[in-house]
Amino acid sequence: MHVSERTLPLAALQAAFGERLQQDQSLGRYTSARIGGRADAVVVARSADELAHAAQTLWQLELPFVVMGGGSNMLVSDAGVREMVLLNQASQVQFHEGPDPSVWAESGAGLGSIARQAARKGLGGLEWAAGIPGTLGGAVAGNAGAHGGDMAACIELATILHREVGRQEWTPADLGFAYRESWLKRNPGQAVVLGAQLRLVQRPEAEIRAQMDEFLAHRRQTQPPGASMGSMFKNPAGNSAGRLIEQAGLKGKRIGNAQISPLHGNFFLNLGEARAADVFALIQEARQAVMDTAGIELELEVQLVGEWPEQD
Ligand code: EPU
């Protein structure tokens, strides 16, 4: 839908959200890549209840929306976003210690922060997540993972607000996890994650820290620092998107201020004020080059948000 075709029902939105409704907001600052245009309207949710209320209100008003958590796995278009944006800042975290420890957190809590808080309590199981940017909700939807761990293996239950059936507790089977995928990612706009409970294990803090340090050191060696969206493409089965892009000769390739990292071919960097269109041009070029050299079609891991040419 184009802007001109829709005028936001501002009176209804203001009545529902009051000062939590912000108009004409620049979205780049909410993304890890620091890229993207403006949103017509943003609603900030500071608790899972506020998030649920916002989603319900927008579904009732039949206004499509995008939920932004850490903004670490998305590319926002230069033209910005005409849908409503729900900024998820619900970040309460509760630990359940004892023989079967777990943590319940609201979906806007940072995954890495949850892992580090657990470590301080001598609770392991999330060592793999220490360096992962983004929120718990994004991690559930995208089945975030690293170093052999992923959300699918840790999650006990997720509290979901479903557009038709309301609030429910979903098991890992309900969430339909696959590699960097879930039911939530395959069905955008149908449900939001309000929170999740993750399984933990008792483990000496020193051991947890040693393992996290090892993973973080590996990350620093293999992945570039600076503004990016994390892995741009999913790894094709039995292969590595980074290696394929390297073999296609595109590491270091630059368009405007967007660059394919010279360190890791699957990371696309913002060298400063990069345009989303330049990142997109690099995406197309990488896809084409990998198709030409290896006959493999790369699939985006990053979510394209805003206004983009039709994807095949
Ligand atoms: N490689 C190259 N050239 C490159 C990049 C990688 O030849 O430019 C080779 C490496 O030498 C290695 C293989 O490809 O033999 C795999 O590389 P790496 O160990 O860096 O892991 P990856 O497959 O590129 C995956 C996840 C990361 C996660 C790391 C560590 C995906 C798409 N990526 O990366 O997850 O942090 O493993 O566990 O699944 C993410 O999904 O956003 C992400 C960062």
Side-chain angles (χ1 to χ4, degrees), residues 270-283:
N270 175 4
L271 300 179
E273 316 258 311
R275 294 168 62 236
D278 291 337
V279 178
F280 190 72
L282 284 176
I283 290 173

Side-chain angles (χ1 to χ4, degrees), residues 170-186:
W170 282 17
T171 64
D174 297 329
L175 288 158
F177 284 123
Y179 165 64
R180 297 294 187 272
E181 278 273 348
S182 73
W183 184 94
L184 299 154
K185 200 167 168 184
R186 291 190 293 273

Side-chain angles (χ1 to χ4, degrees), residues 6 27 31 39 41-44 51 54-55 58-59 63-69 71 73-76 80-88 188-189 191-192 303-308:
R6 196 184 70 222
L27 289 181
T31 69
V42 172
V43 176
V44 182
L51 183 63
L58 297 176
W59 280 327
L63 291 176
F65 63 86
V66 177
V67 182
M68 277 183 82
N73 213 26
M74 52 171 63
L75 178 60
V76 177
V81 178
R82 302 290 77 77
E83 295 99 335
M84 296 285 300
V85 173
L86 283 190
L87 205 55
N88 185 5
V192 294
Q303 182 193 357
L304 297 180
V305 173
E307 300 180 3
W308 294 100

Side-chain angles (χ1 to χ4, degrees), residues 209-283:
R209 282 197 189 283
Q211 175 123 59
M212 282 181 169
D213 287 348
E214 197 183 304
F215 289 154
L216 290 169
H218 178 78
R219 221 180 164 84
R220 272 194 299 276
Q221 264 173 15
T222 57
Q223 300 179 7
S228 85
M229 289 130 279
S231 295
M232 180 58 78
F233 299 103
K234 295 179 183 177
N235 281 337
N239 214 323
S240 153
R243 189 190 302 125
L244 288 165
I245 291 169
E246 174 167 352
Q247 285 166 352
L250 284 181
K251 268 167 95 168
K253 167 83 191 183
R254 183 170 172 173
I255 298 180
N257 268 340
Q259 186 190 35
I260 298 181
S261 164
L263 180 64
H264 194 304
N266 202 18
F267 282 70
F268 290 37
L269 306 174
N270 175 4
L271 300 179
E273 316 258 311
R275 294 168 62 236
D278 291 337
V279 178
F280 190 72
L282 284 176
I283 290 173

Side-chain angles (χ1 to χ4, degrees), residues 121-146:
K121 293 178 178 292
L123 297 172
L126 295 176
E127 292 81 351
W128 58 272
I132 292 196
T135 57
L136 177 62
V140 173
N143 190 16

